[in-house]
Amino acid sequence: MPTLLYQADLPTSLVLSITPPPALSPHTSNVLILLHGLGDTSVSFTNLGKQLTLPETTCISLQAPTPLPFELGGFHWGDDITFDQASGQMDFDTGFTKAVKIIKQDIIEDTLVKKCGYKTREILLFGFGQGAMAAVATAASMAEELGGIVSIGGPLPSSNTSAKAVKTPVLVLGGSSNTFITRTGLEKLKAAFQNVEYHKWNRAGDGMPRNRDEMLPIMRFFARRLRSRASVPEGSVEVG
């Protein structure tokens, strides 16, 4: 059985917060890593982790490693900063080598698996915008199956070009217009992952869920993918 995760278990170079499972949960069976959007900080998703109150689930809200330039405030997940010449907006897709190393190696492999005893199947990623792209890139780089990816407005980065048929299931959500989840982007995701579920909201843009109906596909995904030890006798050994 996995052990409880503490701040001291993780590299001191990372800015993050840990939300333990709800008080009524007798065990910690899952870890949900929350990855904020471009220009945000870990604070907003710390609050999200508390609001979700997922049973037997520890939430980690991780802050992106690099501050935005020009004193803009907030942080980004990309390897570089570039601007779209047509719109003048900051480009989301600027490589994710650094972010993937942090999420995959520093957090998942070295801490959650080796130190705390989690299986990769018990670890899920939830990302918004550029954070969702970092989540998808991380899962695509791993041979092991993760518990799942929730990607809000985050397609597969252009640097991920090979079709690997990754086993980790992906839930993708986005707006009906003005969205980063285009038909081409969705096809690329389906080429890279064996199981991709897509929900298109009846509104423009890829913002966070605004109501119960928009949140429902996410909660159903969690219900299918989160593991529970609530009815497992103490001392039992999982086989397989």
Side-chain angles (χ1 to χ4, degrees):
M1 184 177 295
T3 60
L4 286 173
L5 176 68
Y6 296 99
Q7 198 95 18
D9 294 322
L10 292 147
T12 56
S13 59
L14 302 181
V15 177
L16 53 82
S17 66
I18 299 172
T19 301
L24 295 178
S25 292
H27 308 286
T28 175
S29 305
N30 312 278
V31 173
L32 176 64
I33 302 173
L34 303 165
L35 308 174
H36 63 78
L38 175 67
D40 203 352
T41 70
S42 60
V43 174
S44 60
F45 274 17
T46 297
N47 296 330
L48 174 63
K50 294 176 181 177
Q51 293 165 359
L52 287 171
T53 59
L54 297 171
E56 300 183 44
T57 303
T58 297
C59 292
I60 301 174
S61 179
L62 177 66
Q63 188 159 287
T66 310
L68 290 177
F70 316 126
E71 299 182 353
L72 292 172
F75 294 78
H76 72 95
W77 299 98
D79 294 333
D80 199 359
I81 286 283
T82 61
F83 292 86
D84 185 279
Q85 292 184 352
S87 67
Q89 298 295 314
M90 206 172 296
D91 190 356
F92 279 27
D93 192 359
T94 58
F96 293 89
T97 303
K98 184 176 182 179
V100 168
K101 188 265 179 187
I102 291 171
I103 302 165
K104 175 184 175 182
Q105 182 178 321
D106 296 347
I107 296 181
I108 295 177
E109 295 176 348
D110 292 350
T111 302
L112 297 178
V113 174
K114 293 179 181 178
K115 284 187 179 180
C116 298
Y118 286 93
K119 297 182 178 180
T120 55
R121 171 60 182 79
E122 299 166 335
I123 301 166
L124 297 87
L125 304 178
F126 179 112
F128 171 64
Q130 195 187 43
M133 295 182 76
V136 170
T138 299
S141 73
M142 298 184 66
E144 303 87 355
E145 178 185 359
L146 294 172
I149 305 294
V150 176
S151 169
I152 299 178
L156 188 72
S158 58
S159 54
N160 293 88
T161 54
S162 60
K164 299 179 180 178
V166 178
K167 291 183 178 180
T168 299
V170 180
L171 171 65
V172 189
L173 306 104
S176 56
S177 61
N178 191 26
T179 175
F180 282 95
I181 308 302
T182 63
R183 180 179 297 180
T184 300
L186 196 57
E187 289 174 353
K188 289 181 178 179
L189 272 170
K190 290 181 176 180
F193 291 87
Q194 292 182 12
N195 183 357
V196 176
E197 179 182 350
Y198 173 51
H199 281 268
K200 181 168 65 175
W201 290 322
N202 189 28
R203 62 170 167 89
D206 295 328
M208 290 288 289
R210 298 177 183 176
N211 53 49
R212 182 182 180 277
D213 287 343
E214 291 183 356
M215 193 67 190
L216 191 58
I218 298 173
M219 299 311 292
R220 285 176 173 167
F221 184 78
F222 285 149
R224 294 196 306 269
R225 298 301 299 175
L226 291 175
R227 289 189 162 182
S228 174
R229 292 182 172 86
S231 59
V232 178
E234 194 70 31
S236 297
V237 177
E238 183 177 355
V239 178

